[in-house]
Amino acid sequence: MIWNFTKMQGAGNDFVVLDGVRQHIEMTPERARALGDRHFGIGADQILLVEAPSHPEADFRYRIFNCDGSEVEHCGNGARCFVRFVHEQRLSGRNPLRAEIATGLLVLDQGADGEVRVDMGQTRFEPEALPFDTQGLASRPCHDDTLWTLPLADGSSPELSLVAISNPHAVQVVDDVDAAPVATQGPLIESHPRFAQRVNAGYMQVLNRNEIRLRVYERGAGETLACGTGACAAVAAGIRRGLLDSPVRIHARGGLLTVAWDGRHLRMQGPAVTVFQGQVDIDALTASFNSKEPAQP
Ligand SMILES: N[C@H](CCC[C@H](N)C(=O)O)C(=O)O
């Protein structure tokens, strides 16, 4: 079966985007893994699928699959690429667009400057929203936030802010993101058993009250060059910790994002770029992906 696809990126977080409105797309975790593979497939952090909506007020349904095959609740950089895709593919001329995601509706506005503004919806901070098992864990109040100390197998015990932007985030403050143990500690947080649905692990360096640097070890994808929901989570955590004031400029390794938070709604702005378009024989691609030697333990 041949699928048309578009490769896109938002601040270096990259996506395979599929039109599931004008073509029949049956996505599976295996196919998502094959499409996202950077050697056997097209290569991407996430796969985005645009479908006809089931929500009466939505223009489209927007589904997100990590490159490990897991389907997830939200993707902020992907939301900006989604609206550019819908307009460029002439699926709709409406602006702003309303996208149906797992937990509700997103309002997406493409500006004349090419930047896309996304109302990321409401944000929750209680551990149950992630979910996160706090039983027996030490915590301490920090301004309006609560910091949880999570002992890890590498001997470290980071203090984490918990934030749910539909998807789960654990954010810590570091002195220097370049020196942060993202590659070694990030996976230990991402898959820690206290996070029943796993978690995105954010590392935030505060430059001033309106500017941060951020790295994120993403659930189901590893470290990405930018994470939109991670940027929103870091801003909400930084404001609750009394370290930041809205709006905040976020320097990710792949580019610049801006997030504003009024205590209820998070609004994010940033780039969305079409890289190339193509066609893929999904059955042949999946077969060759499956033919490789299983990962050595
Ligand atoms: N890895 C995330 C999904 C993608 C989020 C990120 N790419 C963004 O821009 O928000 C999760 O499993 O919750």
Side-chain angles (χ1 to χ4, degrees), residues 6-173:
T6 299
K7 183 77 193 304
M8 301 185 78
Q9 59 88 10
N13 186 193
D14 66 339
F15 311 104
V16 170
V17 190
L18 296 164
D19 170 356
V21 177
R22 290 179 297 200
Q23 52 185 356
H24 178 66
I25 301 280
E26 271 189 47
M27 188 53 68
T28 64
E30 180 187 51
R31 286 175 165 178
R33 283 193 294 275
L35 288 165
D37 189 86
R38 296 192 185 281
H39 300 284
F40 289 81
I42 300 162
D45 296 322
Q46 280 89 28
I47 313 302
L48 310 182
L49 176 53
V50 181
E51 296 181 329
S54 51
H55 188 295
E57 293 171 33
D59 298 299
F60 297 97
R61 185 180 177 198
Y62 159 49
R63 296 174 68 189
I64 305 111
F65 299 81
N66 284 316
C67 57
D68 73 348
S70 55
E71 182 167 4
V72 291
E73 309 90 340
H74 200 340
C75 176
N77 290 321
R80 299 196 314 275
C81 290
F82 162 90
V83 65
R84 174 173 291 283
F85 176 79
V86 165
H87 288 159
E88 285 183 349
Q89 297 294 320
R90 304 205 187 314
L91 279 168
S92 169
R94 289 189 62 176
N95 192 35
L97 278 175
R98 280 168 174 68
E100 171 192 350
I101 58 170
T103 53
L105 277 185
L106 292 182
V107 179
L108 311 160
D109 182 81
Q110 181 165 355
D113 59 359
E115 291 252 315
V116 180
R117 293 157 184 81
V118 185
D119 179 340
M120 300 284 284
Q122 301 224 338
T123 308
R124 296 171 62 193
F125 304 99
E126 66 278 14
E128 304 73 49
L130 275 72
F132 179 63
D133 174 9
T134 60
Q135 189 175 3
L137 271 193
S139 68
R140 70 178 175 88
C142 175
H143 204 256
D144 294 337
D145 200 358
T146 298
L147 306 186
W148 295 91
T149 299
L150 183 61
L152 298 170
D154 64 357
S156 66
S157 292
E159 284 198 310
L160 304 174
S161 292
L162 305 178
V163 188
I165 317 274
S166 301
N167 63 347
H169 291 267
V171 185
Q172 59 184 289
V173 174

